[in-house]
Amino acid sequence: MAINWRPGQDLVMAYRGGRLAVPAVPGAGKTHVLAHLAADLIATGAVGQGKILIVTAMNSAVSNFRQRISRILAEKGIEGKRKFEVRTLHSLAVQILQEKTEVVLVNKDFNIIDEEQRKHILKGIINDWMRKQRQRWEGPLGNQPDLRQLEKWREQVADFLLAGISTLKGRGVQEPQAADWIGTLPPDNPLGWLLEVYLVYQRQLSREGGIDFDDMILKARDLLRLDQQLRQRLSQKWTYIFEDEAQDSNPLQEEILRLLSSSHGNLVRVGDSNQAIMGTFTAAEPELYRAYCRDPLVQKVDLLYASRSCQQVIDTANWLVRWVTEEYPVAACRNALEAQFIQLAPAGDSRPNPVVGGFPVVMCTYRNGEEEYQGVTRYIALAQKTYPGESIAVLVPTREIGAKMAETLAQEGIAARIVGEDLGSDLKRAMYGLVRGLKYLGSPDDLKAWIELWQDFFALELEPGDRETLLTFLQGYRPEELLYPPGQQQTLELLDALQSQEAYTVLQQGLRQVRDWLEASLRLVPDQLVLYLAEDLELKKEELALAHNLAGNIRYQLQLYPEWRLKEIASNLPVLEPALKKFALKVEEMMDSIDEKSVTICTCHKAKGLEWDIVFVIATNAYPYTGKLHHYSRSEYKLPGRIINLNAEAKAYLKQLQGMAITGNPLEEAKLEEIREKLRLFYVAITRAKKRLIITRAREYQDKNGKPRDSEAPTFWKEMANFVRVAGGKIYE
């Protein structure tokens, strides 16, 4: 069946070569179009002897793209699975390094340091540095700071150093440069502190024959730079290169893709600059994609027609774009959003926009935070009765606020799911960890027990695509081959097979944990082994009570059958399991009802790419939605008469050392960039709504000491309220 492509989509589908930029508004169907374009290029033979490489930021998107493209090709009657690859940047780096490992790796016995190992190593290095350099990092506090102030500042410095290593690597900084730059910086310069920690960390990795995930990307870039023949070979292998979520690209990723496409020039980059919200947490630089879109040698096709939201929500989002680009009071931030406006899907479109009467946008101001949580809860209860079957989400700026919102909902008997924090209940996970763990330890050669342990416990919280890949990989090995590999395991092949940093980290952590469990099983009786597992799993409260219940039942079994050992206890677990399941089943029943009846609670950052019928955007205050230069932000540290922003200072000096022009005050520029990103974050939040949008704030909130503090409205609040009121929406002050 032929697809009636929307304006813009038709031009993308006509693409056959060259450099292409595809800016796409929220809900424009960019993944749908990109998947169809890939399938079309394969079906028409445009890829030749090569294949299409699709690079995406999220592991979950890898599985999504694979399934979509495979399905489209199957509908065309084409077997084309070997004609495309979908990879994250990390898995792409692994693929490149596999081409010539001897050129870039320290030695053949290198180890890839997973994320947990990396944090552990870095925290040790940072603690040691802070102990030895106390006078330097305490200097900004002046003489005799109070203990509370000192501890808060210490946490600020430690967090800055921990996060800064990836930023340095994302900007391509390597050891020789770092060593040279340190001598040019004064002792109190935060970039100097970061470079010192960076050098110690890299030297420790080198001694241990390790590289982390960021190193792999750096080394892949270096290899492509140095080896023209390799670039040519990979260009023949990947005759088209697509980049999804290009607004979140960083300098290294962009350079790698440009190098890979330098021979044939077939580079398609799809993204939305107005949804660039990762700069605070990563090395992402939204300006890179904007510059690509402006390049006169790049064809640009806008995808502006979207069917996600009703006309009223679209009008509200477009108002925000127009107001920011034309009237935002801080003129330097008027470039926060691109002047691209969402259009309704054309008449007759197969996916029309929702149609809702009136103007279903509401803005509410409450006296304080507690009243806001209670007011939103009442509104949700009313919405569930009035609009049964419609999905509801509460978008929050921080996890702490999300937890408070969930607690208030629970008090009123409203089920809620916090995205990213309860993919499986704690009790369910505890039960599976204990039962599946014991079952495997009783029969370490039982392949079924081995797979069940990973399926129901270790891999439980992975994204579905990563989970499936990991379980498929595990089925290709006997447990002992992974737990105790002969010699050095083929690390790159392992990571390439998994194609996911998260899956690799889960595998390595799980293997380490199982080795410890196997050792403990040799010296502990079964009931004590259960409590050992509970301690190792860090079970708390109800989950720990579950472990004690299981241990007590096992102790009773051993009294009845004193000759039993772990193998017999494990084989008898089906008899003990029903008692454990009774409590867990209640949790499972609630979890089963979540999709249809519960409320989703999600941070605005995690909401990108998701959508709901009814969306509440709460805690919409000047903090955390920084809007003016005098607004306080999380990246700043207040001292009497002075504000310190370690990230801003370090970033400014790093740009200077890398030969970039520095204009104005680094602290002010950092605040301006934060304002821009917060405006984009609010835009992302409101464009998640399909039918109804409710935005709330409080005039007062409690600080960490429980004291009430005035809370300023965000910069856009007054003007947006005027727009909503005139359009026919409700404003409650």
Side-chain angles (χ1 to χ4, degrees):
M1 180 178 174
I3 297 175
N4 186 20
W5 296 108
R6 297 171 184 167
Q9 291 180 340
D10 53 352
L11 297 178
V12 173
M13 289 302 299
Y15 166 85
R16 285 300 178 268
R19 293 201 289 165
L20 176 67
V22 186
V25 299
K30 63 181 180 61
T31 303
H32 174 69
V33 176
L34 208 58
H36 272 276
L37 175 60
D40 201 43
L41 290 171
I42 293 168
T44 58
V47 296
Q49 297 301 309
K51 59 176 70 175
I52 298 172
L53 169 67
I54 301 173
V55 180
T56 184
M58 304 296 292
N59 289 307
S60 56
V62 172
S63 177
N64 187 14
F65 267 115
R66 284 179 185 153
Q67 292 173 7
R68 285 185 183 231
I69 297 172
S70 297
R71 184 175 66 249
I72 296 166
L73 288 171
E75 290 171 355
K76 294 176 179 286
I78 297 171
E79 175 53 54
K81 290 184 178 181
R82 296 180 182 274
K83 301 299 288 182
F84 71 93
E85 294 182 34
V86 189
R87 294 183 176 273
T88 62
L89 181 60
H90 287 106
S91 69
L92 173 60
V94 169
Q95 180 71 10
I96 294 169
L97 292 179
Q98 282 186 310
E99 299 289 334
K100 285 195 172 182
T101 55
E102 72 282 358
V103 175
V104 292
L105 300 176
V106 267
N107 57 59
K108 65 180 180 181
D109 295 325
F110 76 97
N111 295 304
I112 292 179
I113 305 300
D114 66 44
E115 195 59 27
E116 287 302 313
Q117 290 175 301
R118 174 184 175 276
K119 286 181 181 178
H120 178 74
I121 294 170
L122 270 175
K123 285 179 179 178
I125 292 171
I126 289 168
N127 287 336
D128 186 58
W129 182 89
M130 295 187 80
R131 179 177 55 82
K132 292 177 180 177
Q133 304 295 334
R134 185 163 188 160
Q135 187 174 359
R136 290 170 64 193
W137 65 264
E138 281 188 10
L141 299 181
N143 296 326
Q144 298 181 332
D146 64 63
L147 291 178
R148 185 172 174 277
Q149 184 186 49
L150 180 62
E151 183 55 31
K152 187 177 179 182
W153 174 242
R154 188 189 190 285
E155 290 178 6
Q156 190 98 351
V157 174
D159 289 345
F160 157 70
L161 294 172
L162 184 64
I165 301 300
S166 286
T167 301
L168 290 178
K169 294 184 178 185
R171 294 199 62 85
V173 177
Q174 303 200 50
E175 291 176 64
Q177 285 176 308
D180 290 341
W181 289 344
I182 285 174
T184 69
L185 297 169
D188 63 347
N189 187 287
L191 178 59
W193 306 348
L194 181 59
L195 291 170
E196 289 173 21
V197 170
Y198 171 75
L199 284 177
V200 175
Y201 172 64
Q202 288 302 109
R203 288 164 183 166
Q204 181 167 333
L205 289 189
S206 182
R207 286 194 304 271
E208 297 175 1
I211 62 172
D212 63 19
F213 290 110
D214 294 324
D215 286 327
M216 290 194 302
I217 297 171
L218 262 173
K219 291 178 182 295
R221 191 280 309 271
D222 291 344
L223 185 54
L224 291 174
R225 275 184 175 180
L226 293 170
D227 196 323
Q228 185 176 356
Q229 289 184 339
L230 174 63
R231 288 201 305 274
Q232 184 63 33
R233 188 163 73 249
L234 291 178
S235 289
Q236 293 172 353
K237 176 180 180 179
W238 295 314
T239 49
Y240 287 88
I241 296 176
F242 293 178
E243 181 187 17
D244 187 34
E245 302 291 356
Q247 77 278 352
D248 294 327
S249 195
N250 62 46
L252 276 183
Q253 178 168 330
E254 183 180 68
E255 184 176 359
I256 286 172
L257 298 185
R258 285 184 181 273
L259 287 168
L260 287 173
S261 62
S262 58
S263 175
H264 51 64
N266 298 329
L267 176 62
V268 178
R269 304 182 71 187
V270 182
D272 182 3
S273 295
N274 290 351
Q275 296 190 75
I277 57 173
M278 303 305 294
T280 303
F281 306 103
T282 69
E285 293 193 14
E287 181 55 32
L288 294 174
Y289 181 58
R290 288 185 171 187
Y292 182 79
C293 293
R294 292 193 302 265
D295 189 334
L297 299 179
V298 173
Q299 180 189 3
K300 178 170 168 279
V301 176
D302 296 299
L303 298 185
L304 302 178
Y305 293 84
S307 56
R308 170 185 295 163
S309 305
C310 64
Q311 177 72 69
Q312 301 92 321
V313 171
I314 289 175
D315 289 344
T316 304
N318 286 343
W319 173 87
L320 180 67
V321 171
R322 187 175 291 107
W323 180 75
V324 168
T325 55
E326 297 176 4
E327 301 179 37
Y328 195 77
V330 183
C333 293
R334 290 178 184 170
N335 61 350
L337 296 170
E338 294 279 320
Q340 54 187 39
F341 301 99
I342 307 172
Q343 307 294 317
L344 283 175
D349 193 270
S350 60
R351 293 187 60 201
N353 298 76
V355 177
V356 181
F359 198 86
V361 178
V362 177
M363 298 179 71
C364 302
T365 300
Y366 294 91
R367 187 171 64 86
N368 57 45
E370 287 304 316
E371 289 189 4
E372 183 181 9
Y373 298 136
Q374 292 166 9
V376 170
T377 297
R378 288 193 298 271
Y379 211 130
I380 288 172
L382 178 62
Q384 288 181 327
K385 292 178 181 178
T386 309
Y387 310 109
E390 292 196 3
S391 56
I392 301 175
V394 181
L395 305 188
V396 296
T398 67
R399 287 180 296 176
E400 293 80 7
I401 292 174
K404 290 179 181 177
M405 188 69 243
E407 182 181 346
T408 307
L409 288 167
Q411 290 170 356
E412 297 301 321
I414 298 175
R417 179 175 68 97
I418 303 178
V419 171
E421 294 189 11
D422 58 352
L423 298 175
S425 75
D426 291 338
L427 277 169
K428 181 180 176 182
R429 190 171 188 274
M431 186 190 75
Y432 281 138
L434 294 169
V435 173
R436 299 292 186 261
L438 277 182
K439 185 177 180 182
Y440 169 71
L441 293 174
S443 302
D445 57 346
D446 186 340
L447 294 180
K448 182 181 178 183
W450 169 250
I451 295 299
E452 285 179 347
L453 174 60
W454 289 89
Q455 175 180 289
D456 295 337
F457 180 64
F458 288 121
L460 189 63
E461 296 186 4
L462 281 173
E463 293 282 353
D466 289 345
R467 188 165 179 258
E468 181 182 349
T469 300
L470 176 57
L471 294 176
T472 301
F473 168 80
L474 288 166
Q475 289 168 356
Y477 294 85
R478 295 192 61 79
E480 62 270 18
E481 292 177 313
L482 294 172
L483 289 165
Y484 308 105
Q488 181 63 36
Q489 201 166 344
Q490 298 299 309
T491 314
L492 277 182
E493 287 81 352
L494 176 63
L495 187 54
D496 184 48
L498 296 174
Q499 291 198 12
S500 162
Q501 176 181 345
E502 284 76 11
Y504 177 84
T505 297
V506 166
L507 176 64
Q508 295 300 329
Q509 289 174 341
L511 291 174
R512 286 195 294 269
Q513 213 159 7
V514 173
R515 290 188 201 103
D516 291 341
W517 292 359
L518 285 167
E519 182 182 339
S521 71
L522 299 176
R523 53 185 170 80
L524 297 175
V525 295
D527 59 316
Q528 293 177 355
L529 180 60
V530 171
L531 299 180
Y532 171 86
L533 294 181
E535 181 180 358
D536 192 56
L537 296 174
E538 299 181 348
L539 301 187
K540 308 291 183 184
K541 297 181 180 178
E542 291 89 351
E543 303 91 63
L544 188 57
L546 198 69
H548 279 282
N549 181 276
L550 178 60
N553 284 329
I554 289 175
R555 196 176 301 117
Y556 177 71
Q557 294 283 327
L558 290 173
Q559 290 172 355
L560 293 176
Y561 308 101
E563 74 280 6
W564 277 14
R565 296 293 181 265
L566 181 58
K567 183 174 182 179
E568 288 76 21
I569 290 292
S571 64
N572 197 50
L573 279 174
V575 177
L576 304 177
E577 203 169 340
L580 285 174
K581 279 189 175 180
K582 282 185 179 179
F583 191 33
L585 279 172
K586 293 180 182 179
V587 179
E588 285 186 329
E589 287 170 3
M590 186 187 76
M591 294 296 291
D592 288 341
S593 70
I594 274 175
D595 290 339
E596 296 181 358
K597 300 178 182 178
S598 79
V599 175
T600 299
I601 298 175
C602 183
T603 64
C604 295
H605 280 94
K606 286 186 177 293
K608 190 169 78 166
L610 303 176
E611 59 185 40
W612 298 269
D613 294 310
I614 306 171
V615 169
F616 292 79
V617 183
I618 74 168
T620 313
N621 296 314
Y623 178 83
Y625 288 98
T626 310
K628 295 181 181 178
L629 290 172
H630 72 272
H631 288 166
Y632 176 63
S633 70
R634 285 193 162 198
S635 59
E636 295 174 338
Y637 187 85
K638 279 187 177 180
L639 290 173
R642 182 186 177 193
I643 293 178
I644 299 175
N645 188 325
L646 296 171
N647 291 314
E649 291 186 37
K651 186 175 181 179
Y653 279 105
L654 180 58
K655 283 185 175 182
Q656 195 172 47
L657 289 169
Q658 291 187 319
M660 300 182 209
I662 304 298
T663 58
N665 183 306
L667 191 64
E668 181 175 312
E669 180 52 41
K671 178 61 72 67
L672 291 171
E673 186 49 47
E674 185 164 2
I675 292 171
R676 297 178 191 116
E677 186 163 311
K678 295 300 184 183
L679 287 167
R680 293 193 289 267
L681 184 63
F682 182 67
Y683 175 80
V684 166
I686 65 175
T687 54
R688 302 308 95 193
K690 296 165 67 176
K691 297 180 179 179
R692 308 172 213 285
L693 173 64
I694 302 93
I695 308 166
T696 70
R697 62 171 293 267
R699 292 193 181 92
E700 183 182 283
Y701 72 99
Q702 286 187 338
D703 65 15
K704 291 183 178 179
N705 299 317
K707 295 180 180 180
R709 303 288 185 189
D710 289 339
S711 180
E712 190 175 343
T715 311
F716 52 76
W717 187 271
K718 181 180 178 181
E719 299 296 334
M720 175 174 274
N722 289 336
F723 164 77
V724 171
R725 184 182 292 108
V726 171
K730 300 291 185 181
I731 306 296
Y732 298 102
E733 298 291 346

PDB file of all heavy atoms in Angstrom, residues 555-566:
ATOM      1  N   ARG A 555      15.852 -23.198  56.748  1.00  0.00           N
ATOM      2  CA  ARG A 555      16.366 -23.727  58.019  1.00  0.00           C
ATOM      3  C   ARG A 555      15.453 -24.847  58.524  1.00  0.00           C
ATOM      4  O   ARG A 555      15.911 -25.884  59.027  1.00  0.00           O
ATOM      5  CB  ARG A 555      16.467 -22.596  59.036  1.00  0.00           C
ATOM      6  CG  ARG A 555      17.335 -22.915  60.250  1.00  0.00           C
ATOM      7  CD  ARG A 555      17.460 -21.703  61.150  1.00  0.00           C
ATOM      8  NE  ARG A 555      18.043 -20.566  60.436  1.00  0.00           N
ATOM      9  CZ  ARG A 555      17.415 -19.437  60.221  1.00  0.00           C
ATOM     10  NH1 ARG A 555      16.179 -19.268  60.663  1.00  0.00           N
ATOM     11  NH2 ARG A 555      18.009 -18.453  59.584  1.00  0.00           N
ATOM     12  N   TYR A 556      14.142 -24.635  58.353  1.00  0.00           N
ATOM     13  CA  TYR A 556      13.184 -25.657  58.760  1.00  0.00           C
ATOM     14  C   TYR A 556      13.352 -26.915  57.906  1.00  0.00           C
ATOM     15  O   TYR A 556      13.309 -28.051  58.418  1.00  0.00           O
ATOM     16  CB  TYR A 556      11.774 -25.102  58.633  1.00  0.00           C
ATOM     17  CG  TYR A 556      10.687 -26.100  58.971  1.00  0.00           C
ATOM     18  CD1 TYR A 556      10.477 -26.517  60.288  1.00  0.00           C
ATOM     19  CD2 TYR A 556       9.866 -26.625  57.969  1.00  0.00           C
ATOM     20  CE1 TYR A 556       9.487 -27.425  60.592  1.00  0.00           C
ATOM     21  CE2 TYR A 556       8.871 -27.534  58.262  1.00  0.00           C
ATOM     22  CZ  TYR A 556       8.690 -27.943  59.584  1.00  0.00           C
ATOM     23  OH  TYR A 556       7.710 -28.851  59.879  1.00  0.00           O
ATOM     24  N   GLN A 557      13.556 -26.749  56.601  1.00  0.00           N
ATOM     25  CA  GLN A 557      13.774 -27.890  55.715  1.00  0.00           C
ATOM     26  C   GLN A 557      15.026 -28.664  56.119  1.00  0.00           C
ATOM     27  O   GLN A 557      15.039 -29.898  56.115  1.00  0.00           O
ATOM     28  CB  GLN A 557      13.911 -27.410  54.269  1.00  0.00           C
ATOM     29  CG  GLN A 557      12.647 -26.803  53.670  1.00  0.00           C
ATOM     30  CD  GLN A 557      11.638 -27.853  53.278  1.00  0.00           C
ATOM     31  OE1 GLN A 557      12.006 -28.955  52.866  1.00  0.00           O
ATOM     32  NE2 GLN A 557      10.360 -27.551  53.411  1.00  0.00           N
ATOM     33  N   LEU A 558      16.066 -27.959  56.517  1.00  0.00           N
ATOM     34  CA  LEU A 558      17.320 -28.616  56.914  1.00  0.00           C
ATOM     35  C   LEU A 558      17.154 -29.372  58.222  1.00  0.00           C
ATOM     36  O   LEU A 558      17.847 -30.378  58.459  1.00  0.00           O
ATOM     37  CB  LEU A 558      18.429 -27.572  57.035  1.00  0.00           C
ATOM     38  CG  LEU A 558      18.914 -26.948  55.719  1.00  0.00           C
ATOM     39  CD1 LEU A 558      19.887 -25.810  55.988  1.00  0.00           C
ATOM     40  CD2 LEU A 558      19.566 -28.012  54.835  1.00  0.00           C
ATOM     41  N   GLN A 559      16.265 -28.900  59.086  1.00  0.00           N
ATOM     42  CA  GLN A 559      15.993 -29.632  60.320  1.00  0.00           C
ATOM     43  C   GLN A 559      15.269 -30.937  60.025  1.00  0.00           C
ATOM     44  O   GLN A 559      15.509 -31.970  60.670  1.00  0.00           O
ATOM     45  CB  GLN A 559      15.164 -28.771  61.269  1.00  0.00           C
ATOM     46  CG  GLN A 559      15.930 -27.588  61.859  1.00  0.00           C
ATOM     47  CD  GLN A 559      15.032 -26.645  62.633  1.00  0.00           C
ATOM     48  OE1 GLN A 559      13.813 -26.818  62.666  1.00  0.00           O
ATOM     49  NE2 GLN A 559      15.632 -25.630  63.256  1.00  0.00           N
ATOM     50  N   LEU A 560      14.371 -30.879  59.027  1.00  0.00           N
ATOM     51  CA  LEU A 560      13.649 -32.088  58.639  1.00  0.00           C
ATOM     52  C   LEU A 560      14.550 -33.063  57.897  1.00  0.00           C
ATOM     53  O   LEU A 560      14.435 -34.289  58.060  1.00  0.00           O
ATOM     54  CB  LEU A 560      12.450 -31.724  57.756  1.00  0.00           C
ATOM     55  CG  LEU A 560      11.305 -30.940  58.414  1.00  0.00           C
ATOM     56  CD1 LEU A 560      10.250 -30.585  57.372  1.00  0.00           C
ATOM     57  CD2 LEU A 560      10.687 -31.747  59.548  1.00  0.00           C
ATOM     58  N   TYR A 561      15.451 -32.512  57.068  1.00  0.00           N
ATOM     59  CA  TYR A 561      16.328 -33.352  56.236  1.00  0.00           C
ATOM     60  C   TYR A 561      17.773 -32.894  56.420  1.00  0.00           C
ATOM     61  O   TYR A 561      18.339 -32.179  55.581  1.00  0.00           O
ATOM     62  CB  TYR A 561      15.918 -33.243  54.764  1.00  0.00           C
ATOM     63  CG  TYR A 561      14.450 -33.496  54.514  1.00  0.00           C
ATOM     64  CD1 TYR A 561      13.563 -32.437  54.315  1.00  0.00           C
ATOM     65  CD2 TYR A 561      13.944 -34.802  54.501  1.00  0.00           C
ATOM     66  CE1 TYR A 561      12.208 -32.667  54.087  1.00  0.00           C
ATOM     67  CE2 TYR A 561      12.591 -35.032  54.276  1.00  0.00           C
ATOM     68  CZ  TYR A 561      11.733 -33.963  54.076  1.00  0.00           C
ATOM     69  OH  TYR A 561      10.397 -34.196  53.865  1.00  0.00           O
ATOM     70  N   PRO A 562      18.404 -33.262  57.524  1.00  0.00           N
ATOM     71  CA  PRO A 562      19.755 -32.767  57.839  1.00  0.00           C
ATOM     72  C   PRO A 562      20.807 -33.177  56.816  1.00  0.00           C
ATOM     73  O   PRO A 562      21.875 -32.555  56.743  1.00  0.00           O
ATOM     74  CB  PRO A 562      20.037 -33.383  59.219  1.00  0.00           C
ATOM     75  CG  PRO A 562      19.060 -34.505  59.363  1.00  0.00           C
ATOM     76  CD  PRO A 562      17.874 -34.123  58.576  1.00  0.00           C
ATOM     77  N   GLU A 563      20.533 -34.195  56.013  1.00  0.00           N
ATOM     78  CA  GLU A 563      21.515 -34.615  55.005  1.00  0.00           C
ATOM     79  C   GLU A 563      21.484 -33.761  53.747  1.00  0.00           C
ATOM     80  O   GLU A 563      22.359 -33.877  52.887  1.00  0.00           O
ATOM     81  CB  GLU A 563      21.275 -36.092  54.633  1.00  0.00           C
ATOM     82  CG  GLU A 563      20.046 -36.362  53.761  1.00  0.00           C
ATOM     83  CD  GLU A 563      18.729 -36.395  54.550  1.00  0.00           C
ATOM     84  OE1 GLU A 563      18.756 -36.089  55.751  1.00  0.00           O
ATOM     85  OE2 GLU A 563      17.695 -36.723  53.938  1.00  0.00           O
ATOM     86  N   TRP A 564      20.471 -32.895  53.623  1.00  0.00           N
ATOM     87  CA  TRP A 564      20.344 -32.060  52.423  1.00  0.00           C
ATOM     88  C   TRP A 564      21.478 -31.039  52.337  1.00  0.00           C
ATOM     89  O   TRP A 564      21.962 -30.512  53.344  1.00  0.00           O
ATOM     90  CB  TRP A 564      19.006 -31.319  52.439  1.00  0.00           C
ATOM     91  CG  TRP A 564      17.865 -32.152  51.924  1.00  0.00           C
ATOM     92  CD1 TRP A 564      17.856 -33.508  51.725  1.00  0.00           C
ATOM     93  CD2 TRP A 564      16.567 -31.676  51.569  1.00  0.00           C
ATOM     94  NE1 TRP A 564      16.645 -33.913  51.259  1.00  0.00           N
ATOM     95  CE2 TRP A 564      15.825 -32.812  51.151  1.00  0.00           C
ATOM     96  CE3 TRP A 564      15.955 -30.435  51.549  1.00  0.00           C
ATOM     97  CZ2 TRP A 564      14.501 -32.719  50.726  1.00  0.00           C
ATOM     98  CZ3 TRP A 564      14.634 -30.336  51.125  1.00  0.00           C
ATOM     99  CH2 TRP A 564      13.917 -31.458  50.718  1.00  0.00           C
ATOM    100  N   ARG A 565      21.869 -30.789  51.121  1.00  0.00           N
ATOM    101  CA  ARG A 565      22.840 -29.730  50.841  1.00  0.00           C
ATOM    102  C   ARG A 565      22.171 -28.722  49.889  1.00  0.00           C
ATOM    103  O   ARG A 565      20.983 -28.802  49.600  1.00  0.00           O
ATOM    104  CB  ARG A 565      24.115 -30.315  50.205  1.00  0.00           C
ATOM    105  CG  ARG A 565      24.851 -31.260  51.145  1.00  0.00           C
ATOM    106  CD  ARG A 565      25.413 -30.500  52.333  1.00  0.00           C
ATOM    107  NE  ARG A 565      26.151 -31.371  53.255  1.00  0.00           N
ATOM    108  CZ  ARG A 565      25.627 -31.941  54.333  1.00  0.00           C
ATOM    109  NH1 ARG A 565      24.341 -31.734  54.627  1.00  0.00           N
ATOM    110  NH2 ARG A 565      26.350 -32.721  55.103  1.00  0.00           N
ATOM    111  N   LEU A 566      22.965 -27.779  49.385  1.00  0.00           N
ATOM    112  CA  LEU A 566      22.415 -26.696  48.567  1.00  0.00           C
ATOM    113  C   LEU A 566      21.692 -27.242  47.338  1.00  0.00           C
ATOM    114  O   LEU A 566      20.641 -26.714  46.945  1.00  0.00           O
ATOM    115  CB  LEU A 566      23.538 -25.737  48.140  1.00  0.00           C
ATOM    116  CG  LEU A 566      23.108 -24.542  47.290  1.00  0.00           C
ATOM    117  CD1 LEU A 566      22.060 -23.699  48.018  1.00  0.00           C
ATOM    118  CD2 LEU A 566      24.326 -23.678  46.942  1.00  0.00           C
TER     119      LEU A 566
END
